Each structure stands twice: as C-alpha cells, then as structure tokens.
Amino acid sequence: MNTYGRYDLVIDHAHGSIVYDKDGKEYIDCVAGIAVNNIGHTHKKMTENLSKQLEKMIHVSNLYYTEEQATFAKRLVELSPHDKVFFANSGAGANEGAIKLARKYTGKGEIISTLKSFHGRTLATITATGQPKYQKGFEPLPAGFKHVEYNNIEQMKEAITEDTAAILVEPIQGESGVRVPDDDYLPSLRKLCDEKGILLIFDEVQTGYGRTGKMFASELTQTVPDITTCAKAIAGGLPMGAVLAKKEIADAFKPGSHATTFGGSPFVSCAGNTVLDIYEEEDLVNKSHENGLYFMEKLEALKENHDCIVEVRGHGLMVGVELNYECGDLVAKAQEKGVLINVANGTVMRFVPPLIITREELDKVVEVIDEILP
Ligand code: PLP
C-alpha cells in the first residue's frame, strides 16, 4: 500500500556499511535501515549462524521451550537492569506490551508521554506518540493517554493524577530530530515516579543496543527505569522487539495475559544471540562511543564554513545536525555523492550508521556533507 514516500533508489545488495544499487554504485549507509543494521550488512558470522539455524528449525511457537530463545532471554536481561523479557516482533509491539504491562501491574489506566515523541504505529502507540499528524484519520483513539512537553519536569509533575500508571519516554527523542534532554531530566523523572508510586518506561527502541555509546541510553545518566522496550537492532535486521521489566512487575502477566505467535522464534533468537556475540567480539558499544565523539567533532568543525549549522548533537552514533532551514533536499544531494542520510523533523540531518562504520568511512561522510551544505 502507498504508506511510504520512498527515495529514488533501488538497493540491490549490501555489505558492511556499504549498500550498492543495481549499477553497482556504492553508498555509505548512514540510515542503516533506520538504526537497525548495527553490525553492518551481511556480516559473515550472522550469515553462517542463520544458515545453520535455517536447517535446524525456524519456528515452533511459544507453546514450547527452545534453547535459542532461553539463551537469548538470559543474555538480554543480564545486559539490562531487568529480570524478565517478553519477545515482540517490532518496536510498536514492544511498546504495546509495555503499556499493557504497566496497566495490569498498577491497575491504573493513564499513560503520560511527551510531545514530539515517537512510539510506533499501532492504535495505542500512535496515541502515545505526541504528534497529531500520526493520529489524524484514525480516531477514535484509545483512552487514557496524555502528553506534556519533553524535558519539562514541572509539566510532568502537574500532569500526574490518581489514575496515572506510567510515564513513557524516549531517553533521547529520535524521530523528532535527535533531541537530547538536560542531564537531570531522566533522573528527575525517576525521582518523581518513586515519589508518586508510578512506573517509568523507557522506549529504547532507537536509543538502545549501543546506539548512544552505551548498551542502553539509560546508562548515560544512570537512571534505572521499571520497564525498557527495545527492537530495531536486536536481531540484526530480522523483526524482533523486547519488553524488559523487573520481576515483580513482569509477574503481573500470567499465562494468557499477553502473547504473540512469532515472538522470540528460534530463528530470530539465533540472530539475537549472534548480534550479541558480534558486539562482544568487535567491542561495538565502545566503538559507537569513540567513533561518535570523532564524528561529532568533525561535524562541529563544519560550522566554520557553514553558517546554516545551528547545532551538532547526539551521543555515540546517534547524531543530529540541526540546520536553520528546511533541508529535505539534502537527502538526494548526499545520495548523488554516495552517502545515505535522512532528515528528521524538517531541519535535522540524522546519522545512525552501523556501529561497525570505520573512521575512513566517517571522514568520507563529513567530506560529502561539507560539499552539499550551502
Ligand atoms: N519507538 C521508537 C523510539 C522508534 O524510533 C520507533 C521506530 O522508529 C518505534 C518505537 C517503532 O518501532 P517499529 O517501527 O519497529 O514498530
């Protein structure tokens, strides 16, 4: 169906941080399937492990145990501040699960999220998303959601009522242009939730999995949420989402409370385990941190020749460059010169390359940005 405004490009194959079109032209991939391909494309280890898994089994349903799923679940909770995981198939699916869990655990209905957020495209998650353009035409929307300004703790305090179950926020807002909150915002939300006895949910669908130079962006401010959702990068490009929670909260779900046919199949779990092997072997979380600093410094230096740059911001390899004009045309200009980027919120060039990207490739990206900026 006609749901995407697509760029004028047919991608034929891909390897590492490079994608190739039908004519063999190369593009450095700073979109990475929208912050998904953290281990790069067609990683040898992934191809080998998934080939073996294809011959072993793909899917058996969650009526049975599989070693692949149990192993991945254990590894994932050990990396997080949580004890239990539910496997979904997407970021929206993970957020749906988190909203349901928060309501079931607290017995309350209201979810407070933030303006300009993005949480997915199901009915509950477009309602949690603080952008009317995603909701228009899909009414009636589910009840029990309200929005306050991001990075505004006072508004959040005022919004809480007797019926509030949870606050749902992205640690850094992605779709609305890599908006990084003040350092004390997330810790203040934690404090507020503790005082009021409500849950704190971090949507780490985009920020999680090393994207910000930490495994989870919550670690940037040492804020421990009650529930974390992730998706995008966790199975290396196969569809998978996860709801992570502390045991006491997770225990609100009983057999039959929540389910999905495909969640955590042995095939996607094999991919999940392989992604974590590659993260360990190639030290990808640290690489994201170090190369992110390197990249942002180089972008920052472009300010000297380009007055249109308002701000370079981000953490790790989640980087936004805000310009003082609507810059959608830069996508085609960068593509022409062999770099894929996208533009968020009209004025922000967004870079979310594979975490395996090299400094030489980042240098080339900066060179192209320098050439195309006015
Ligand atoms: N939450 C955040 C923060 C996202 O960035 C996205 C997708 O961009 C989603 C949720 C939705 O994820 P999905 O498209 O996998 O449903």
Side-chain angles (χ1 to χ4, degrees), residues 93-142:
N95 285 333
E96 282 276 341
I99 291 164
K100 285 176 71 178
L101 181 60
R103 286 183 169 176
K104 194 98 164 70
Y105 173 73
T106 60
K108 296 178 177 180
E110 194 174 78
I111 308 291
I112 308 175
S113 56
T114 57
L115 293 168
K116 299 196 173 163
S117 58
F118 186 80
H119 299 295
R121 300 293 197 136
T122 61
L123 275 172
T125 56
I126 56 167
T127 311
T129 292
Q131 303 191 57
K133 69 176 179 194
Y134 294 120
Q135 300 162 351
K136 209 161 174 279
F138 299 114
E139 300 85 355
L141 300 172

Side-chain angles (χ1 to χ4, degrees), residues 171-174 177-181 183 207 211-213 217 220 288-289 292-293 295-297 299-300 311-322 348-352:
I172 296 173
Q173 287 189 335
V178 191
R179 298 175 72 222
V180 183
D183 287 348
T207 54
R211 175 55 56 198
T212 67
L220 291 167
S288 169
H289 172 68
L293 288 175
F295 185 45
M296 277 195 279
E297 203 179 304
L299 289 168
E300 190 70 39
E311 190 182 25
V312 176
R313 57 179 181 249
H315 278 282
L317 285 169
M318 180 172 183
V319 176
V321 178
E322 174 141 20
V348 183
M349 288 190 289
R350 185 171 50 154
F351 302 87
V352 282

Side-chain angles (χ1 to χ4, degrees), residues 90-92 95 118-120 170 175 203 205-206 232:
S90 65
N95 285 333
F118 186 80
H119 299 295
E170 294 158 82
E175 291 301 301
D203 175 345
V205 168
Q206 189 162 149
K232 288 204 186 274

Side-chain angles (χ1 to χ4, degrees), residues 295-314 319-324 349 366-367 369-371 373-374:
F295 185 45
M296 277 195 279
E297 203 179 304
K298 294 228 148 186
L299 289 168
E300 190 70 39
L302 293 180
K303 273 184 174 170
E304 223 173 275
N305 294 331
H306 303 283
D307 292 343
C308 60
I309 300 179
V310 178
E311 190 182 25
V312 176
R313 57 179 181 249
V319 176
V321 178
E322 174 141 20
L323 304 182
N324 64 7
M349 288 190 289
V366 175
E367 219 175 277
I369 299 304
D370 190 18
E371 285 168 24
L373 280 180

Side-chain angles (χ1 to χ4, degrees), residues 117-355:
S117 58
F118 186 80
H119 299 295
R121 300 293 197 136
T122 61
L123 275 172
T125 56
I126 56 167
T127 311
T129 292
Q131 303 191 57
K133 69 176 179 194
Y134 294 120
Q135 300 162 351
K136 209 161 174 279
F138 299 114
E139 300 85 355
L141 300 172
F145 291 86
K146 62 180 174 192
H147 306 98
V148 297
E149 237 176 49
Y150 190 62
N151 202 24
N152 186 331
I153 194 78
E154 289 309 316
Q155 273 198 16
M156 189 63 88
K157 262 184 209 161
E158 281 163 28
I160 293 170
T161 68
E162 284 295 297
D163 193 38
T164 304
I167 290 171
L168 166 65
V169 292
E170 294 158 82
I172 296 173
Q173 287 189 335
E175 291 301 301
S176 60
V178 191
R179 298 175 72 222
V180 183
D182 296 340
D183 287 348
D184 62 354
Y185 179 59
L186 300 175
S188 301
L189 286 181
R190 176 69 276 170
K191 203 160 155 259
L192 184 59
C193 287
D194 289 343
E195 280 165 14
K196 302 280 183 184
I198 59 181
L199 299 182
L200 182 60
I201 308 172
F202 280 175
D203 175 345
E204 294 239 28
V205 168
Q206 189 162 149
T207 54
Y209 253 66
R211 175 55 56 198
T212 67
K214 297 278 184 194
M215 191 62 189
F216 293 100
S218 58
E219 296 165 36
L220 291 167
T221 54
Q222 283 109 41
T223 312
V224 178
D226 299 296
I227 303 175
T228 298
T229 57
C230 49
K232 288 204 186 274
I234 76 173
L238 291 178
M240 188 180 217
V243 185
L244 290 146
K246 295 179 181 170
K247 182 174 184 306
E248 185 202 332
I249 298 165
D251 282 350
F253 276 168
K254 305 282 178 242
S257 300
H258 190 54
T260 178
T261 300
F262 292 119
S265 76
F267 191 64
V268 286
S269 293
C270 170
N273 282 316
T274 306
V275 166
L276 290 182
D277 290 344
I278 294 168
Y279 269 52
E280 282 166 23
E281 284 159 21
E282 302 186 16
D283 198 20
L284 290 188
V285 178
N286 278 331
K287 267 197 189 139
S288 169
H289 172 68
E290 280 159 20
N291 288 338
L293 288 175
Y294 175 83
F295 185 45
M296 277 195 279
E297 203 179 304
K298 294 228 148 186
L299 289 168
E300 190 70 39
L302 293 180
K303 273 184 174 170
E304 223 173 275
N305 294 331
H306 303 283
D307 292 343
C308 60
I309 300 179
V310 178
E311 190 182 25
V312 176
R313 57 179 181 249
H315 278 282
L317 285 169
M318 180 172 183
V319 176
V321 178
E322 174 141 20
L323 304 182
N324 64 7
Y325 70 103
E326 294 276 326
C327 60
D329 63 319
L330 293 180
V331 171
K333 287 184 180 161
Q335 186 180 309
E336 176 67 34
K337 289 183 179 284
V339 173
L340 302 187
I341 59 165
N342 78 349
V343 165
N345 204 28
T347 56
V348 183
M349 288 190 289
R350 185 171 50 154
F351 302 87
V352 282
L355 306 188

